[in-house]
Amino acid sequence: MRDTVAVVTGAGSGIGRALAVALAGRGARLAISDIDPVGLAETAERTNAHAEVLDVSDRAAVATYAATVKQHFGHVHQLYNNAGIADGAPSILDDGYGSFERVLGVNLWGVIHGTKEFLPHLIASGAGHVVTISSLNGYLAQAGLAAYCTSKFAVRGFTETLRSEMLRDGHPVDVTVVHPGGVKTNIALAALAAARARGETVTREQEARTRTYTDKLLRMDPDRAATIILDGVAAKRPRILVGNDARAIDALVRLAPATYPRLANWWGKRMFPPA
Ligand SMILES: NC(=O)c1ccc[n+]([C@@H]2O[C@H](COP(=O)([O-])OP(=O)(O)OC[C@H]3O[C@@H](n4cnc5c(N)ncnc54)[C@H](O)[C@@H]3O)[C@@H](O)[C@H]2O)c1
């Protein structure tokens, strides 16, 4: 990584922050961004990075940002499309369009914007790498997570298509899709805070579910996740599964592609019994 220029979006918290700190530790030169200036400043202090507040869902802002980073460093080698949000709704039937617009705006359009705006610079570097953070919900669909699953399946399709095109056209850009299982971050609690900030009522049951989800399912330390991701990137692996949960669910979905939704619903009822 020494002298590699790496761009990390959503670096103000969680996996993005851990990636930034680990990349800095491996000698990379860093451009970090986040929509949250406070979290971003904390990461910047720990990494000596070029830091800018950026909303990845804003196409014009990402275009300007990519040009600024290229001008600042001269080259750009690696892009970590990490920024993401979660947003649950009980069902597609009862939900409006809001959660789809919000989640796809960040998780899918953010990845498309970042990739398209940085790709010419990554190709020009002669040794580019696009790394996209999907999820185990990039291959496991779950009731109550429609917008998130839609975004993470789509991100996988986008990233794997990019890889095919880079191979077909002989461009010097490796491409990796990452599917983390549960990582101990703020993502679920941040979704509740965002709902409150929009003036929505958060019920006690929603709050309790989110706490259970965070405590029981988000278990891996983000620094460990970052090590697994960066080791996989160094080995140029096209697909990285992070954690035993991600590997077990990958096997389940392959073994029982038609029946896993029943299993997932059964497990969901046990994990989150109705109030
Ligand atoms: N934590 C997990 O268990 C887990 C599992 C699978 C995948 N992921 C994915 O990992 C990525 C990082 O999530 P995390 O768990 O570290 O969550 P996190 O909430 O700790 O960090 C996400 C960061 O993205 C930033 N962000 C949100 N909207 C943004 C926007 N519009 N523009 C720029 N930045 C924005 C947030 O401010 C935050 O700093 C996400 O894509 C998430 O979907 C997380």
Side-chain angles (χ1 to χ4, degrees), residues 13 15 34 54-56 82 133-134 148 152 180-181 183 185 218:
S13 167
I15 297 172
D34 202 287
L54 176 72
D55 176 353
V56 294
N82 165 78
I133 312 296
S134 174
Y148 191 73
K152 294 300 185 179
V183 180
T185 72
L218 306 189

Side-chain angles (χ1 to χ4, degrees), residues 42-222:
E42 282 173 29
T43 308
E45 243 176 55
R46 293 174 59 183
T47 55
N48 194 25
H50 174 278
E52 268 190 54
V53 173
L54 176 72
D55 176 353
V56 294
S57 71
D58 181 339
R59 184 177 305 166
V62 177
T64 305
Y65 175 69
T68 308
V69 170
K70 165 75 167 82
Q71 197 177 27
H72 183 84
F73 290 98
H75 302 281
V76 188
H77 301 97
Q78 297 190 343
L79 168 66
Y80 293 82
N81 284 312
N82 165 78
I85 55 172
D87 202 341
S91 73
I92 295 169
L93 182 65
D94 295 328
D95 193 18
Y97 288 97
S99 66
F100 284 96
E101 284 168 356
R102 282 189 297 275
V103 173
L104 295 182
V106 180
N107 296 9
L108 177 58
W109 278 107
V111 169
I112 297 173
H113 293 154
T115 303
K116 278 188 65 64
E117 296 302 330
F118 276 100
L119 197 52
H121 306 317
L122 301 177
I123 292 172
S125 78
H129 204 137
V130 175
V131 182
T132 295
I133 312 296
S134 174
S135 163
L136 59 73
N137 287 122
Y139 45 78
L140 174 89
Q142 270 180 279
L145 283 180
Y148 191 73
C149 292
T150 303
S151 72
K152 294 300 185 179
F153 271 69
V155 149
R156 173 182 167 199
F158 175 80
T159 310
E160 292 186 1
T161 306
L162 177 70
R163 180 161 188 268
S164 294
E165 291 183 359
M166 294 298 101
L167 289 170
R168 181 194 65 190
D169 300 339
H171 289 307
V173 177
D174 292 299
V175 180
T176 299
V177 61
V178 182
H179 297 284
V183 180
K184 200 153 204 52
T185 72
N186 211 29
I187 189 160
L189 294 169
L192 282 193
R196 284 201 188 92
R198 289 192 298 273
E200 293 171 16
T201 310
V202 173
T203 63
R204 276 205 190 157
E205 194 193 342
Q206 279 172 303
E207 179 122 30
R209 279 173 73 98
T210 305
R211 289 250 165 244
T212 307
Y213 181 84
T214 299
D215 293 345
K216 294 203 171 156
L217 299 180
L218 306 189
R219 303 291 291 272
M220 183 182 279
D221 187 80

